[in-house]
Amino acid sequence: MAKSEVIIAPSILAADFGAMREAVLALQDGGADWIHFDVMDGHFVPNLTFGAPMVSALRPHCTLPFDVHLMIEHPENLISDFASAGANRITVHVEACVHLHRVVQQIRELGCSVGVALNPHTPLEAVRYILPDIDLLLVMTVNPGFGGQALIESMKPKIAEARLMIEQDAPHVLLQVDGGVSPENAREVVALGARVLVAGSSVFRAPTPQEGIRALRFALVSQKA
Ligand code: DX5
Ligand code: ZN
């Protein structure tokens, strides 16, 4: 795929929570394609972040698609709130859904694009029979719950295998990689098959978020080996 087709979805988990509106405006100004919301409930993952009110608070200030990553138990109880708040895409974890096919249908009925996420240990086989029904597959390359972690090297072959599964069974599905993505590894992650890159700390650790996004895009097009 052309490197320019790669979707950059910065995670606001790494932003200053005391200036979230400014952070989202900076991401939009910097050419982000989506805004990634990392929703955590302190049960599915050992961290607590924000809920649908954060989405609704930021919705009037940003025209970009809101990509909501639900790291929560029983996501079926809250997907309607996130859809009403202005989420464009809702991703749930296969590990959190006893009846995933039904949750996927519920998200679609709410008018949102549907994503399914896999924790690092979860085999791709877990999504084989749901893949044709979703729009996005999120391969976690860190253990969910925190930003600033290093990409787990053993996830690289999983990205490549996910790309193969998508091309064989559901070529419409976007392959999203989330966790430890930076200008140092973005080119390789895309070469393995990622189409959507989530990056939190590498964007917000840069002097400005705009520069963080620019560094990612430059890494994708620069010729260095
Ligand atoms: C981790 C989240 C990721 C994380 C990415 O649970 O799902 O989106 O915030 O942050 P970095 O890019 O810092 O790994
Ligand atoms: Zn995420």
Side-chain angles (χ1 to χ4, degrees):
M1 75 212 66
K3 299 295 188 284
S4 57
E5 291 171 15
V6 173
I7 293 167
I8 304 288
S11 164
I12 59 169
L13 180 65
D16 172 359
F17 277 34
M20 198 58 96
R21 176 180 172 278
E22 291 74 11
V24 164
L25 289 175
L27 294 175
Q28 184 166 258
D29 177 63
D33 295 297
W34 300 351
I35 306 292
H36 186 81
F37 289 70
D38 282 312
V39 178
M40 301 179 190
D41 65 356
H43 295 280
F44 182 71
V45 291
N47 196 2
L48 189 60
T49 56
F50 43 69
M54 178 66 83
V55 174
S56 50
L58 294 171
R59 185 71 279 175
H61 305 292
C62 179
T63 56
L64 295 177
F66 283 2
D67 173 38
V68 175
H69 176 191
L70 295 180
M71 288 164 276
I72 66 175
E73 291 181 353
H74 303 295
E76 65 276 8
N77 297 336
L78 288 176
I79 52 179
S80 172
D81 290 0
F82 281 97
S84 306
N88 300 94
R89 322 184 69 88
I90 297 177
T91 295
V92 295
H93 271 260
V94 64
E95 302 90 354
C97 299
V98 174
H99 300 291
L100 178 59
H101 189 277
R102 180 180 295 138
V103 175
V104 164
Q105 286 177 312
Q106 287 172 322
I107 295 171
R108 200 169 290 298
E109 283 159 11
L110 288 162
C112 293
S113 295
V114 186
V116 169
L118 295 171
N119 284 336
H121 77 286
T122 306
L124 289 164
E125 191 60 28
V127 294
R128 177 172 301 282
Y129 297 106
I130 199 72
L131 203 60
D133 298 307
I134 64 176
D135 303 303
L136 175 141
L137 176 63
L138 166 46
V139 171
M140 290 302 296
T141 43
V142 294
N143 289 301
F146 302 93
Q149 302 176 81
L151 184 142
I152 300 170
E153 286 296 316
S154 61
M155 290 296 103
K156 290 180 178 175
K158 186 176 180 180
I159 297 169
E161 287 163 33
R163 167 53 53 201
L164 274 178
M165 179 188 270
I166 287 170
E167 283 172 1
Q168 285 167 357
D169 301 347
H172 68 282
V173 171
L174 293 174
L175 179 52
Q176 182 177 51
V177 168
D178 183 0
V181 174
S182 71
E184 288 69 39
N185 60 30
R187 188 178 169 80
E188 182 183 10
V189 166
V190 167
L192 288 165
R195 172 87 164 65
V196 186
L197 302 183
V198 176
S201 45
S202 72
V203 168
F204 285 98
R205 280 184 182 153
T208 67
Q210 291 92 333
E211 288 178 60
I213 295 170
R214 214 170 9 253
L216 278 171
R217 293 213 190 274
F218 180 75
L220 294 176
V221 297
S222 62
Q223 291 311 315
K224 69 176 184 296

